[in-house]
Every structure is written in C-alpha cells, then in structure tokens.
Amino acid sequence: MLAGVLNVRRRRAKRGASARKEEPAATKENHGEGGRYSRIKTLDIHQILARNREEKQQMMDRSPAEQGRPVLGILTRTLIRSPVVKSIIPARVRHRSRNDVVFVYDDAVVIKEVLGGERIEHNPFQEISLEDVVEKKDFDSPIRAARILGLPREPKISRFPGVIWSKKDPNRSPSPSEIKPDPLHENEVPPQILVLTLASRNLLFLFAYHDVHERVHFLSNVWPLPAQAEQIQELGVHLAVDPKWVGFLFGSWRANDFRSRAMAVGAHENRVVIYTLKSMEQIRKEVQGQNGLDAKNFMPIHEEHFTEVDGVILKMEFLHPSKGDEHHVILLLVVSKGQGSLLVRFEWDCRAGLSMVERKPSQALAKSTRLPHLLIPLTYGTSFALVCEQQITVYKEILAGNAKGQNIPLKIDEPPEEPQSSNRLPIWTQWARPMRSTKRPDLEIDNIYLCRGDGVVYYIDIKESSVPMISSQCSACTVNASLSSAFATLDLGDESNDALIAAGEMGDGGMWYLKPRDALELVGTIRNWTPLRDMTTARVNGPSSNLAGNDSQIWQRDKRLFACTGRGPRHGAITEIRIGTEAVKLGRTIELGELADNGILDLWAMPVRSDTGICLMISRPTETELILLPSSIDKAIDKDPQVASEVEELNLSEKTIAAGSTAEGFLVQVTPSSINAIAQEAGILPLAWHFEEASITAASFLTIPSRTTVLLIVLRRYNDFYLHHGHFGSQGGRIVFEELGEPVRLQSEASSLALYWVENRILAFVGTLAATLQIYAANAGSSLSPYFEYSFDDPFSICDSLAVLITKIQAVGCGEVEDGQLVVCGLRNGTVRTLWFDGGNDGNSNGGSNGGNRNIFGMGRSLLSLCESLIFGSTSVKVMTDTTRNSRAFAVCEQTVCTLEYLGGASPTNPAIINKLWLTDPNSQIFQQRPLTGLTQASSNVPQGCSKYAAGSLFCLTGSRLVLVYVSLSPNPEMVPRRLSLGGTPTTVLYSERFRKLIIMYNTTDVQDPGSPLRRGIGLRHRAPQPAIAFIDPDADLTRLAQGEKDVRNVLEASCVLPGEKFLGLMEWFPTDGTEQYHMLVVNTATGQAGSQRGIGRLLFFRPVQNAVGDVTLTQKIDLDHKAEICAVAPYGDSSLVYGCGNDIFFRFLDVKHKRFKQLMKLTLRSPAVHISVQGLDIHVSTESYGHHILSVREDNLVPLWADRTSRSSAHHLVAPEQSLIITTDLECRIAGLWQPPKPQLGRTTPLIFEAFLPRSITKLCRVRRQERRFQVNQVERQIPSQTSPGNGMKEMKDENVAWEEKYLPRDYMLGSSEDGTVYQLSLLDEASWRLLAFIQNIAMREPQICPHPNPRLRDRDLEPSMARKQDMHIDGDILIRLLERGSRTLLTKMLAVRGPRTRMLLDEMLVENPTEDRSRRLRALAIEVFKDDAPKYEETGEMVLRWLRSLLMPAI
C-alpha cells in the first residue's frame, strides 16, 4: 500500500502539482465490517510511517519481562537563564543615535541602552543607568563568538542623546537635555551589524530596528559554515573582523573609508575561512525597500576563501594597515605547534579579492610569549602587542619579514586579590580602549585598559615612536568582581573620565565610574550567581508568597529555594533564588514610630515646589499625618523627614479618604467632611469646602493631559448615596472647585471609584456593595449618566479597588495596533478580575448581544467582558495603576505585592504577566523584606517647578518603617538573588526540619606566607584548606549578621580535620534503636596524597546540639577511615548507611546500643559512585563512567538488580516511584528516563523511556509540588447573559467560574540546576499529553516567527509525533513559550491554517481522492485524547489548548 501511495505522489510531482513541503500527502484507512466499509478515516502518510516505526521499535525493545512499561515524555523549560555573559560590546546595532551595549550570553543576545542625566526620568537617583531594550533568545544553538562589523562609533557625541557627562565636573559639556535627539526612523539599517558564530555551524548576521510604533524588532540572516569530520576542527571558535576605520585613524572623514572590509572564522585548530564584506552603503541599498526591510537580501558576505594552518589556533586578529597603505589587509594568527608557538600571517589587497590571499612565512615566538593571554592590534601602523602574565611584548615592522619585539615588564604592585586560589598570578582576561581615546587622533597613542581575573584593572599607553614603546603604565583600579572576557568601556561623552562595565565570572559584575585621582564609584550592578553547585528547597518562616492559599497569617511556612553559589573568599555565598520584579531600595528607611501605632489606613505621595521634595500624607483611623521629605536623594540620606503636625489649610483631625496633586500643582485632600486644597504659589488662597449634613465615602482623581484635574466623590445624605464630579481651577486669587452637571443617585453604596478619559468623555467606574461594577459617562461639562453595569458571580465579590490599564492590541483582520482598555478589579474575597472594556460601544443594546462591538477575543460582545480571574488570597486585594507603565498594575494582598502586566491585550490565551515584588538594598546583599502593609506611588508626571525626586517610585510600608523603592521596568520575571557571603566555597546545602535552619558546608583556605620572595615581591604561599559548617536561619541569623552581631557559623576545630582534607558531602542522619532516635551529621571527605591518583577518605560523624538562643555546636563522635575518597553516602533503613568509597559500595549497620559499626556487605562496581539514594529497599547508585545501577540487599549480600544499558558519566538522579522511573542526568548534557520493571531480575538493563539533550549538564535535581505554586492564574471565567435587567438604563452581565485545566496538569515538577546558574523546570508527560505537545512543537519549529534559526534536521522531521527515537520524547518548552509570547492564538491559527495538497491514494485496489487531513483537525483529535470528558468544541480547541499549555509552562517557584 505504501509503495502505491509513494508512486502516486511521484507521478503527481512530475505533472507539476504544487505542494507545500511541510504537508505530506494523505491516504485513507478503511475499517471493514462484514465485508463492507463502515467508515473512512483520513491518515497522513507520516502518521503511517511513524506508526510502523513505533511498532518495529516496540517489537525490538519489549520482552515478557517488560510488559507494562509506561509511555512517558519529558517537558523541559528554562526557568532561570544563566547569568554568564560571554561578551559585552558597545555598538550602534539599533540606531545611530542610541548609545547601546550588546550583552552576548551563551544562547541569547540582549541590547541595553546607556542612559544618563535627565534621560533617566523614571529613576532620578542614578546618573548612569543601563536599561533593557530588546532580547533575542531563539537561536536554538549555543553562541560561540561575537563581533561587530560596519561603521565605527562617531566621536561627535553631540548627536547622541544617550551619552552623559559627569555632574561632578564644573566644566562639563552641555547637558543631554539641551541636545535634540535624532528621530527613530522606522525600518532603518543601523551603522553597525552584530555577527555571531553558532554551534549549529552557522554565521548569523543581525541588527535591530524600530517600526512605526517604535517597537524594536530583529532582522537576521544566516550563512552556513562548512561541516567538519572532527569536532575540534569545527569553525566558529575564533572570529575576527577587519576594523579599518581608515579615514578616522588618519585624520580625514571620508564615509567610504568607514567599513569593515574582511572577516575571518577559525576553528580550534587547522581550519580558517576568510570572507570579504560588502560596504554598509551597499547593504543598506539591498535591505531597505519601499515596503520595509527585506531579510532575504540581507547578507554582508561578498566572497569566501578557505585556508589551513598547522597547529592549534590560540589567537586571531586583523592588524591595522600603515599610513598610505589603506588597501592592505593583514590577518595575524598565533598558532601553537609542538613545544612552541608561531606568528602566522595572511595578506592581500582588498581591491583584488580573496584570490590574491598570500600566506607569509611564519615567525617563531620566544618561550616567554608562546602562550599569550591577549593579542592587541595597535591602531597606528601594523604594530601589535602580546600580553603575558607579567610582561607585554610589542611587535612592529612585521611587513618587513620578522617582526621586532620589545619586552616591557608590567609594573604590578598589587598581589592577587584571592591568594587562596593559586600561587600564580591571575590571567589577563580582556582589554578595551577608553572611548575618550578616539578624541585625539593626532597623538598616535594607544590607550588601553587590561583587566585581570581577580578584578585588577591596569592602564597602559603605547606609542610606537617612544622608547620604551609603553610610555606610561599604572594600576587604574581594583573592582570587587571576578572578571572574564565580558569587559568593555562605555561612551559617556566625557573627555577625561571613563566608565567601565564588566560581568562577573563568579559573582556580581557592575558599572564603575572612573575619574583620575578619585575613588572608584559603583553606579550599577550586573547580577551573577555562578557557579551553582547545589540547591535545596526549604520550608522556612518567611513572608507569604503562596497567594492561592487560605492561610492569612502574617508569617507562614513557605517553600523557598536556596543554592550554593560562587567560589573563593570574596564570592562564595549561599543564595536565595527568587523570581519576580526587583524593587531597589533608595535612600534610607524612614522610621514612623508612634505614627504607626494605631494602624495606617492608606498613604499618598505628592511632589511639592520647595526644598521639600515630597509631601507624604498618611491616613490613620482618627487623624491624618503629614510628612515632608527632602528634595534630593543626598538630602534624604543626611536629613531627617519633617512631621507637619499643624497645617491650617488642611484637615488633619480626620482620616483622609483620597489625596493627590492637580495639573496646576494644587495639593488636594478629601476627608469625610471636607474637600481641602492648597496652592504652592504665594497669593493664591486655599480651598476648604465643608459638608454639614452629608459625608464623603469615596473619592478618586483624574488629571486630563493638557487640561485639568477632575475629582469624583460619593456623597452620603442620610441613607442615600450620590455621585458628584467636578474640576479644580483658580479664580479671583483663590482655588475653586466647580461641579460639573447634576449629581447622580446610586442604588447601592460605593466601595471603589476610578476615572478614565477616552474620546473626549469622562468615564466613571463605580464598584458597589451589591457586587456590581457600574459605569457612568459624561461629555465635557455635562452630567454623568448611567452607561453599563457588570455583576460579579457572588455577593462577596465586592470591588474594593480599581485600576484602568492601557495595552497595545492588534485588531483582527488588519495589522493596525491600537490602544485597548482593561479594568482590573480588586475584590474583597481575595481575587482580581480583569475586564476588557470596549469604549466604542454605545451601551444601547442587550447585555449579551452588543452588535456594534469588536469581538477581539471571542469573549462576547458586551461593553465589559471578563478576561481572567486571579486568586490571590482570602482577604481584600488592593490594585493601583503603575504611573510609569500604563499597562501594569500593582496588587497588594496579605502583605505581599505583585505586579500584573498585560502586553498585547488580555484574554484566556494571553493572561497577565504576574511577578512578585522583591525589595533589595544595593548596600546589603542579605536584605530581607518584611511583610508589606501599605503601598503608594509618587506620580511620574511631575508638575513644572516641582522636584523630580522620587517621581514614579514606590513608598512601601513595612510595619512602622517606610521604604522608598524604584521598580524595574522589565515586564519579564527576573532573578532577584539574596546572598549571604560565607568567606569560602560552598559545596553542600540542606535544610534541617529539626533545627529549622539551613546547614551549609563550605571550604575555606588559610594562606601562610613563609616569607621566601618570588618574582616581583610576591611570596610563595602555602595554602591549607579549612572546612567549615554553618547553621543559618535564612531570616533571623542573616539579620544578626547584617547588624554586626557575632558570627553564627561553625569553623571546625583543627583536631577534626586532617591536613589537606576537603569535605565533599553532608547528610543528616537519624539512627534509632527502636525506642530512641539520635540526630547526627555525616560528612564524607577526601584527602589528596602526593604521588597517588586517588587520596584517602573518611566518614565523620558529628552530634549537633542547639542551645537556648538557637546556636548550634558540633561534637565529633566517631570517624571511619578508608583508602579511597568517599564521594557519596545515603541512609538505609533505621540504622544503616550505604556509601561509595572508590569503586566499592559499602553497607554498614550501626549498633546503636554499643555505638559500633558493623561492616555487613560490600560490592565492587566498575566506576566510583557520584550519587547514592535509597527508595524503599532499592539502592540507586549513579556512577562516574557506567551510568545508573540499582542494588538490593539479599541474604546479607549486596546484589545488582538492574544496570543502565548506556555508559554515561552520571551527575545526579531522582526517583519517581509512582511511575517506577529513575530520572538521571550526566555530564554529556543528557537527561534519561529509566524504567524499573516490577519483577526484579539479576543483571538486567533498565529500559530507556525517554532521553533529552540540553545545552548544558544538570548537576542537581529536586522535586517541587505543583500545588505549592504562588498563583492560580488560569481560572478563567465564562460570561452568561443575565435574563434580568436592573431597569436603570444599564445593561447587566453575570459570570460563572470555570476551572478545568488543573485536572490535566502533572502533580509534581522537578527543578534541575547547572553550574552555569541555569535552572530548568521539568515535568513528566503521559502519552496523550506528549503527543499533543509534540504535534504543536513540530509545527512551531516550521514557523519562522517562532524558530527563525532551527536545526534543519529537526525542522524537516514529520509533523506527526513519533516514538521511534527516545530523543523525540523530549518536548522543548522554550519553543512553546515563544508561541505564547509572540501571539499565542493568532500565531497558532496561522500555523494551523497551512493545508496539504489534494492527492489520490491507492487503497485496497481502490483509487480514492480525498483532501489531506489538515492540521486543525489533527490538533482537535489530539486534544480530545488529552481532555477526554472536557473535550472542546471545534472552534474552541485552539483556545482550550493554549490555556492548558500556559498553565503547564507556568513557573513552579
């Protein structure tokens, strides 16, 4: 049958029938019944082939002993991306007027913009700021190298609005606010292009551009690199670009001289490819068109040339040509061969092409320079420098034959910052030229910064004509960071001062402002938490983050994640891994003291025109307090806030209902009995409007841009409630409040108010105690009239707060982007409801059939449509709009603050991005936020003449303390670490339920200097390891350390530790004799011995004792000596231990009564154990070279039950007993699922269920329960039209709660960590879920918008899921997340719309013609298998799948 099908396809192709490659032909499967065909089912040819492969594989794999083997897949997603930065490159890859910096990670590129001066409107506390612009992380391949090609950065700084000048310099240049920036023209090719080499053997060229809506996009194209037979010869490790900025270097400014002419790509050894490049003018002409940018024509390569070198390529750079020889191109390589190194040189004339490339004779390097750290091309002539450990060799006149080298010692007086790491000096990791060095081309001097791994930054001036050629050298500074190749200087437009930027290698990096003869100033921090060696989940006391729970206590037991990070005395730390939005603490904490004794109802922050920068109004139950804060951050640090006890113009004897500032700068206060307003200018009398027989119950402000400020109040007269609105102004030298129109009587008391201005109309949103949301509308100057009413689902859904958000949406059927309005309601029952508001509705049709509305999200045609419901807790939720981002709101519930942001509208398939708000202190890495009891935000729109101090910042109330914080503008969740420095390298962390403390094991190093001098005064030090154990409460003990109290860590006595002994592992053990349980700590150690491949090892047993104040002391009880290091240990049963010593597995029983160990059993494996765990009676052992083994205790012997069929270098494992599955990880970046059959058999191999290949190895696995996630965000509700109308001119809509996707989510998640700081989230999938996700993944990989650079082998595989290969059981959640982020429903509809061709199939000698089964029908069929009883209707399939997919991929922590 298959042969006939294929023949039909061939004949059809010959006739020229058009067919899409991704949609194969189809056939029909006929099901016979009694000799007749009862139905015909359409099958894709790939389904048939996949089924045949699966059946064949099942026949090969399965045996009678393996019956019942489960079919499981694995879903992985990157939860926390690695912070390791490979390169930092200042570049104009977005626009010529934007001062951007490109951060190149292992698998992502992030463009950040350097802002300064008054351009940092959202954070006036910083003179320099680095803000994210756009990120690209869809390479689907690791990045090997990165460079910039194109035009140079112009030294004319006046055109760049992103540059800044030092505010400390009185003779500074004009401020950036005085410079008019160039407009961001859409679809414009920038002056520079980023080129990357990928591990997928591709050269990738890309740049960013702005569209008409000023959104940033990437345009890219790839050039394939030739494949090599050996991995060591794969191209892409080395990348060099010819930076010939000839006109600039030699004093002229001809635009044709500004271009990169050539590029070279090299392998580890032997292979080099040389390319000539097109000019930027030619690239711009080819790419820019009338209809936008054309990615197909974007290719900078003009010609390529292959060549070989004999040896290992150490360095590769292009040299600058001599003056008058601008067309000369020189490629220089440092090649290691045998015991020496060579200088290999290629030369050609750029006008003649690569056919004239000539290899010149090689030159041997001296022994002292054969392994240089850096190769630096000098800009004047063909000179270059090789940087070694303690010297620089400058070469010149290389074109004459042999280059002449001059050795200049580096006069470094600074010893290593971390002598504990090595006796040698750290290596030089990177070099950079200060931007100001380009301002004086006439001096012909190269100014260069060198950075060393321990943080030392060295400055040198190289002048070819001077003797020696290094005219000056000095130590510029020492930064508190471990530096790598990610080091650069920033363009600040300053002619005398420099700014350095570096990403740390083992700790935080940062930005530093460097001024001659002045202290180094840290102006920004770049987070880093590598290497990450171990992690654990701890259920400790902390602020509530389980917002979906029913526990409303202030402090509750919550799961938190802690990790061992960093290395050495400066960077080793225990880090709490937190994901959310960072809120940086500004200034100092304000102690309110007695002001907070009786409770605080609410607070407001308003800018004022005086030395007092902020007026903070605090409402208490019976009165109001006024606090005046200084006008600048410097004064806020040094000066105490003022408490204004008596202000005659305001009513401070009552509580305040609402407060704010008007467009004219008036300060307004609304109390239950009055409206008060004061002016900030002399000569204007205040306003005091009192109500005698009425009281105000609610109020809200709205400032209309370029107009006035409107006040909306609810006035209570006896038992009736009336809605009034008016605006403020000045008349006759006094402030007046003019009412607009007649008041409107409300049917129920108002619980919340909000105002919104749209299309010259005022809309008033009123939440009532009747569990409704009412809308009133008024034209300019007219009365409010009823417009619409929305009813919530139960009487306890009372709206206590409102926030109106604006989000950018794309209208259906066209590409236009317009503003959409969302109403976020904080309800009294602890939920948040987000309603879509269709402002174009006239409100005159029935509640469920508003025919004139746009049905954008398919949620019904009402004026208000429910988008989603979020469960935050069990108490009232307060929501407020973020004044810095009108698409984001803050939500406060149960003393926890979160941000909700809607990008691209809101719908069940596009819910809010929810991040918890984490307060951090730049001066304290162990800062722990307290429960937040109040929140307010200073307006970002500051009236003219007022100080911008704290504009847009948050004032957070924590108990009796007031903290001012600046909130990050990034909508995506970020890693917000909290770190405790340990003074050593941590290796193990675990949580003790008994002590409720973290137990951390780390190694310190004592350095003893015998005084014997070594080169340049650096002593030969003796380094002695000293293990230590810390018992730390993550909150209480860290607070004690922060306050300078005694150290709570335990450094073990010298008698407990042998010379050179290292602690490898730590475990809590609770042996028992049946009547009494003992608590012990078991430590496995290793001690290296000279001349021995493996050292000796010990098992140490300590008894921990906790005193009355909570401190823990250790007493050594016993130790067991062995002739090999002990790498793993695990408890077995009540009083037994299993541990690995070399290749042997020991099983020992502790006689608790006699306090003696008995060696019962021993088994020798082929490889040492790296991880041991016990599940029931089975002992699971992961070995160093031979995979996973399962052992059992039988008749006083250890016997192997099952063994891994693959020899793998194991790293860790986790047992899932529910599925009889072992999830193992190895050092080859694999995750394998091994099945343990129920019937044990000796010597059997464990069947492989699935296998996944990741970009990096997972070294630790741990389990997290799904129900412990922070949010239940996908409980989306369905609207049901009400049959009754309130009868007051409004239209009513009710809702009903539906939450079904929770049933189809896995019970547990797994977290996996890598040493580079990456944290993965893993979950197991049943067969139906795997097939559905695999189908979506297969069609997503063919969509360029999701996978623009896919692996061709993966992209061209069948659409139909196949289980023939175990690697196909892996679902890459990062690809599915892109589907959700880049359009979800619209993008899925686009992918499903692709259909296959019509074809004829030969089935059972019958020629049948039928259309190929399309993707939508196949998606529905797979969805029915997953959702079963909740199977959706055909038109609801996509929406239902996306809702389930978003819940499945939600972060577990």
Side-chain angles (χ1 to χ4, degrees), residues 160 371 469 656 687 795 1110 1119:
F160 303 142
L371 295 175
M469 283 187 282
T656 298
L687 168 69
D1119 63 280

Side-chain angles (χ1 to χ4, degrees), residues 92-109:
R92 305 271 199 266
V93 295
R94 178 171 55 115
H95 193 269
R96 64 178 182 272
S97 67
R98 289 297 180 253
N99 192 8
D100 290 340
V101 181
V102 179
F103 280 60
V104 181
Y105 295 86
D106 184 65
D107 52 5
V109 169

Side-chain angles (χ1 to χ4, degrees), residues 1145-1192:
I1145 302 297
F1146 287 88
F1147 185 99
R1148 288 201 172 190
F1149 170 75
L1150 174 64
D1151 187 343
V1152 179
K1153 182 177 180 180
H1154 297 92
K1155 300 181 180 180
R1156 290 187 305 176
F1157 271 103
K1158 299 178 180 179
Q1159 179 176 344
L1160 299 181
M1161 291 160 268
K1162 173 183 173 182
L1163 177 68
T1164 301
L1165 301 178
R1166 300 173 63 187
S1167 179
V1170 296
H1171 180 219
I1172 299 177
S1173 68
V1174 175
Q1175 182 67 42
L1177 299 178
D1178 296 332
I1179 302 171
H1180 296 266
V1181 182
S1182 292
T1183 63
E1184 190 176 88
S1185 303
Y1186 287 92
H1188 190 81
H1189 296 262
I1190 303 177
L1191 313 179
S1192 182

Side-chain angles (χ1 to χ4, degrees), residues 1092-1130:
S1092 176
Q1093 184 178 3
R1094 286 190 176 273
I1096 63 174
R1098 295 195 300 166
L1099 273 182
L1100 304 180
F1101 297 85
F1102 296 93
R1103 182 182 178 185
V1105 178
Q1106 189 174 26
N1107 59 22
V1109 297
D1111 294 337
V1112 181
T1113 58
L1114 294 177
T1115 304
Q1116 185 177 359
K1117 290 297 182 181
I1118 194 173
D1119 63 280
L1120 299 177
D1121 297 332
H1122 288 272
K1123 295 182 179 180
E1125 63 181 29
I1126 301 175
C1127 296
V1129 61

Side-chain angles (χ1 to χ4, degrees), residues 34 155 230 423 630 637 726 765 867 1009 1036 1066 1082 1095 1113 1209 1295:
E230 298 182 12
N423 280 328
I637 294 175
F765 296 87
C867 298
D1009 193 346
L1066 176 70
V1082 183
T1113 58
S1209 300
D1295 51 44

